[in-house]
Amino acid sequence: MTSASEFGGGPPASADTGQGSVPDLLVNPLDTEGVHRLNESAQKFKALAEGGGFAVNEAGFQAYNKVCDDFIHGYDKEARNFFHLLTRAKMGSSDYANQVADFNVKVANGDKQSMIPNLKLLLDSITQVQQALQIARNNYNAADSEHAQTFSGIGKAD
């Protein structure tokens, strides 16, 4: 399991570290259950950050944010190619060729368990993870600023 401290900054000692709430970003887009579990984890991860459950320093944020950006930009680039998956392939005129061509389109976008809806849900998940990281960076900066103010008064004469 990943601890909050591995994100570049940990929560206060009394806070829930969120272990087990960090999404597993390696999921097969054809595994509908896995994609839904990732999305649920991403939602919990964001809620954990919103509740102040973890913080991340700038270096940690930059590293994890890059992974999210790479996925999102890659998705945007490849999404333009999805229409190819929705085009029924010309495989011949036999009944079997027609069945295979229809099946290929169904696998791509025939229902909620198809590849394209799962990829869209993955995009939503990664976007939520990125939002959680931004919130966690803000948490870190706020805590850092608060600590700086607290310690700035030490040693000063009253």
Side-chain angles (χ1 to χ4, degrees), residues 15-30:
D16 176 10
T17 63
Q19 290 185 347
S21 297
V22 178
D24 178 3
L25 300 179
L26 302 176
V27 67
N28 178 345
L30 297 177

Side-chain angles (χ1 to χ4, degrees), residues 68-80:
C68 294
D69 275 344
D70 288 349
F71 180 89
I72 292 167
H73 291 111
Y75 178 92
D76 290 343
K77 178 181 174 187
E78 292 304 319
R80 290 181 235 126

Side-chain angles (χ1 to χ4, degrees), residues 37-114:
R37 279 191 310 273
L38 172 67
N39 191 264
E40 289 171 14
S41 293
Q43 291 173 20
K44 290 176 185 177
F45 190 59
K46 184 177 176 186
L48 181 67
E50 289 172 334
F54 77 100
V56 63
N57 67 16
E58 188 63 29
F61 170 79
Q62 290 299 329
Y64 287 105
N65 192 57
K66 182 178 180 336
V67 172
C68 294
D69 275 344
D70 288 349
F71 180 89
I72 292 167
H73 291 111
Y75 178 92
D76 290 343
K77 178 181 174 187
E78 292 304 319
R80 290 181 235 126
N81 294 320
F82 287 171
F83 77 92
H84 292 297
L85 298 173
L86 302 174
T87 304
R88 197 168 174 274
K90 296 177 183 174
M91 303 183 78
S93 59
S94 72
D95 286 341
Y96 180 73
N98 287 327
Q99 289 174 6
V100 170
D102 291 340
F103 177 76
N104 289 343
V105 172
K106 183 178 179 185
V107 167
N109 198 33
D111 56 31
K112 290 183 179 182
Q113 296 182 5
S114 300

Side-chain angles (χ1 to χ4, degrees), residues 125-138:
S125 302
I126 299 302
T127 301
Q128 289 186 65
V129 168
Q130 190 173 49
Q131 291 167 350
L133 291 168
Q134 291 167 345
I135 293 165
R137 177 180 59 177
N138 293 344

